[in-house]
Structures are given as structure tokens and as C-alpha cells.
């Protein structure tokens, strides 16, 4: 179904992002897993390769809030696989800290990853997709964005 398509999955080294990347691979896509740390990305790649050594998968760990870092990573994906067809903006973080104890720096971290990074990744992917004649950007969100998360 996804043969010769290339997908980038942010937050792809674990959880839902890992499952998205695995499903893309199972359906014939080339996949680049983006994670926050080299160790977690390499562990995810090793696990996928253990299941199927032929999986066309790479891992990168750009700073998702830095346009230059993300653009460089997308160029690496394009160099490796020849295209960038799908961006699955999946990276996210939440906090169950009480409002009374919530620090501005924590809020900034959540907003940077959950909002700003989504824009940064889409902004970096769009020119590549336009140049090649199209692509798909999928933005996922936690149920916490709809229902909130109780705290103490």
C-alpha cells in the first residue's frame, strides 16, 4: 500500500509513534523515526531490525523546535530514500503537575513540543513535498488536548 513512499514519524522511538512507524514499514514504506535522544532512536531501530532486518528504516534526533535542525534531518531523509511523502507529527508530552505547582518552564516545554514543533516540522516538510508534487502531513494529538488531565 505504501511501496516507494517515505514517512517521517516524530516521537517515533517509542509508544504510539513507534507503532505508527512499524505499521508504515509493514505496509511497504521507507521510514525515518525522529526521537529526542540518540539512544532511544537506536534502540527502536534495533528492535525493528530484529523483527525484520530488511526494513528500510533510519533514525534521527533533530531538535524539533529548531527549523535548521529539522530541515537538515529532512534533507538526510530525502538523500537516503529519495523523497518525503508523509510526515506524521506525533511527538508530544504532557504533565499531570497541579496548576499550583506547575512552573512556567514546564509549560513552555509542553507548548514547544506539542505546538511549536508541529509547525516547525510542517514548515520544513512543505517545500520538499511541494517540489516533488505533493505529500501528506498527519498531526496527531493526545486525548488530553480534548478532555484535559486531572491533577492533585
Amino acid at each position: 500500500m505504501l511501496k516507494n513512499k517515505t514517512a517521517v514519524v516524530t516521537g517515533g522511538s517509542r509508544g504510539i509513534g513507534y507503532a505508527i512507524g512499524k505499521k508504515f514499514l509493514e505496509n511497504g514504506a521507507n521510514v525515518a523515526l525522529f526521537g529526542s535522544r540518540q539512544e532511544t532512536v537506536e534502540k527502536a531501530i534495533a528492535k525493528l531490525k530484529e523483527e525484520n532486518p530488511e526494513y528500510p528504516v533510519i533514525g534521527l534526533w533533530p531538535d524539533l523546535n529548531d527549523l535548521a535542525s529539522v530541515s537538515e534531518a529532512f534533507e538526510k531523509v530525502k538523500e537516503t530514500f529519495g523523497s518525503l511523502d508523509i510526515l506524521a507529527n506525533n511527538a508530544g508530552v504532557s504533565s499531570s503537575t497541579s496548576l499550583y505547582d506547575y512552573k512556567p518552564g514546564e509549560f513552555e516545554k509542553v507548548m514547544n513540543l506539542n505546538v511549536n514543533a508541529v509547525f516547525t516540522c510542517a514548515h520544513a516538510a512543505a517545500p520538499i513535498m511541494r517540489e516533488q508534487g505533493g505529500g501528506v502531513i498527519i498531526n496527531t494529538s493526545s486525548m488530553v488536548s480534548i478532555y484535559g488531565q486531572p491533577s492533585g
Side-chain angles (χ1 to χ4, degrees):
M1 180 169 29
L2 297 174
K3 189 171 175 65
N4 299 321
K5 300 292 183 187
T6 298
V8 168
V9 182
T10 68
S13 63
R14 58 184 180 259
I16 293 170
Y18 178 85
I20 291 169
K22 183 177 176 187
K23 192 54 75 175
F24 282 156
L25 287 164
E26 289 170 352
N27 283 280
N30 305 310
V31 173
L33 300 180
F34 283 15
S36 59
R37 294 187 321 274
Q38 181 177 355
E39 316 81 75
T40 58
V41 173
E42 288 176 349
K43 184 177 176 182
I45 299 288
K47 186 176 175 184
L48 288 166
K49 290 287 194 174
E50 195 174 285
E51 288 183 36
N52 184 343
E54 300 301 314
Y55 276 155
V57 59
I58 62 170
L60 300 163
W61 41 95
D63 176 349
L64 297 183
N65 285 293
D66 179 51
L67 184 59
S69 180
V70 173
S71 295
E72 184 178 311
F74 283 150
E75 284 301 321
K76 176 72 172 166
V77 171
K78 188 177 166 189
E79 286 173 22
T80 303
F81 296 122
S83 67
L84 171 59
D85 304 292
I86 303 163
L87 167 60
N89 263 324
N90 172 74
V93 65
S94 67
S95 174
S96 59
T97 303
S98 163
L99 177 63
Y100 306 106
D101 299 319
Y102 209 67
K103 305 286 185 251
E106 290 178 70
F107 180 74
E108 187 175 312
K109 179 182 174 185
V110 169
M111 294 304 288
N112 279 340
L113 187 58
N114 295 0
V115 178
N116 297 337
V118 172
F119 170 79
T120 301
C121 290
H123 189 67
I128 296 170
M129 291 177 173
R130 175 189 275 172
E131 182 181 294
Q132 67 189 22
V136 175
I137 298 174
I138 303 164
N139 298 318
T140 61
S141 176
S142 167
M143 288 177 46
V144 173
S145 68
I146 299 170
Y147 299 109
Q149 182 170 324
S151 62

